[in-house]
Amino acid sequence: MTGASRGIGAAIAKELAREGADVVVNYRSSEEQAESVVDYIESETDGAAVTAQADVSEPDDVERLVETTHEAFGAADVVVNNAGITMDGKFESIGREEWDAVVDVNLTGVYNVTDAFYDDVKSSDAGRFINMASIVGEAGNFGQANYAASKSGLFGFTKTIARELARSGATANCVAPGFIETDMLADVPEKVREKIVADIPLDRFGEAEEIADAVRFLAGDDSTYITGQTLSVNGGKHL
Ligand code: NAP
């Protein structure tokens, strides 16, 4: 479970643990927050958990993530590629640095982690890749060319992996959240927030737990015939 120290990832880690899963709580720098997710899982659920520091954009770090996973719990059944960042700005104002940074984490990071856990998931009886895309990958968004490209890339990647895994019975799907109340939205100015909400039929931002519910469904036994799909969880916002 990548990017599980905060926001949507922390909510997913807790939800999967409440379902009885053992969870590897990956983070890049928020060690304390990752530890508090592990504390919650160990005290409030039947699942077990360990933290694992790794930058998903760094193949060596991802190798360490695999080692930690295997040492703690053996082969992985479900891999949730959730880690993601934004570095926003109009296309004319962002440069190569912002492009590379976002694509390296949001798209190449998913490649790194998928590659590293591919054999585990393929040989599992309940193998699942679940990739966190975004409404921004579906529709584009002002000031987010790099982020939109990185998230759009996940759709084609996931559909392809889904086809290639299909004979094994393992599945690969995307979840595409709309606008969810986490640190990622914290810097959005109030005026822009109001404008975004005005365009959401359910008239509010989503909660991280509502994304975790969708991931629980795709990770569990009720979704065995769903693969190569995108589950959009966005308050009814049409594209
Ligand atoms: P967030 O609150 O900013 O949390 C991001 C998480 O990703 C943190 O756990 C962070 O770890 C981790 N992370 C970032 N870069 C990493 C890296 N290189 N290696 C490993 N972990 C890394 O974000 P969020 O809102 O929960 O978003 C989670 C996912 O949902 C992202 O992929 C995001 O693009 C997607 N999403 C979010 C929204 C939204 O409205 N919030 C909408 C659509 C899609 P540290 O704590 O250590 O930094």
Side-chain angles (χ1 to χ4, degrees), residues 161-182:
I161 295 304
R163 285 180 185 271
E164 294 184 6
L165 279 173
R167 272 173 186 262
S168 73
T171 68
N173 291 288
C174 285
V175 172
F179 293 90
I180 311 301
E181 198 69 84
T182 68

Side-chain angles (χ1 to χ4, degrees), residues 3-9 26-30 54-56 82-85 105 132-134 147 151 177-180 182-185:
S5 49
R6 296 182 283 122
I8 292 170
N26 161 251
Y27 66 99
R28 181 175 51 180
S29 49
S30 305
D55 180 338
V56 295
N82 167 79
I85 60 167
V105 174
M132 201 55 61
S134 169
Y147 183 78
K151 293 298 186 179
F179 293 90
I180 311 301
T182 68
D183 293 347
M184 200 171 258
L185 277 193

Side-chain angles (χ1 to χ4, degrees), residues 32-129:
E32 255 179 52
Q33 284 167 285
E35 276 167 4
S36 86
V37 174
V38 168
D39 288 346
Y40 171 91
I41 289 172
E42 297 207 315
S43 60
E44 304 293 328
T45 79
D46 291 335
V50 293
T51 59
Q53 194 285 328
D55 180 338
V56 295
S57 68
E58 296 289 342
D60 290 349
D61 283 18
V62 173
E63 226 169 87
R64 238 184 29 241
L65 176 62
V66 173
E67 279 164 24
T68 304
T69 303
H70 288 174
E71 271 167 28
F73 303 123
D77 298 305
V78 177
V79 172
V80 183
N81 277 304
N82 167 79
I85 60 167
T86 53
M87 288 180 90
D88 295 349
K90 276 167 72 177
F91 181 68
E92 302 133 277
S93 66
I94 60 166
R96 184 75 193 208
E97 200 182 319
E98 289 84 2
W99 175 270
D100 284 344
V102 169
V103 171
D104 281 355
V105 174
N106 297 4
L107 185 56
T108 309
V110 173
Y111 162 76
N112 290 336
V113 172
T114 303
D115 187 42
F117 285 104
Y118 198 78
D119 290 343
D120 282 9
V121 172
K122 189 174 176 183
S123 52
S124 165
D125 290 338
R128 302 276 192 276
F129 283 110

Side-chain angles (χ1 to χ4, degrees), residues 180-199:
I180 311 301
E181 198 69 84
T182 68
D183 293 347
M184 200 171 258
L185 277 193
D187 291 340
V188 176
E190 192 50 39
K191 277 211 159 150
V192 179
R193 289 171 64 95
E194 284 168 15
K195 229 174 131 184
I196 294 172
V197 170
D199 207 25

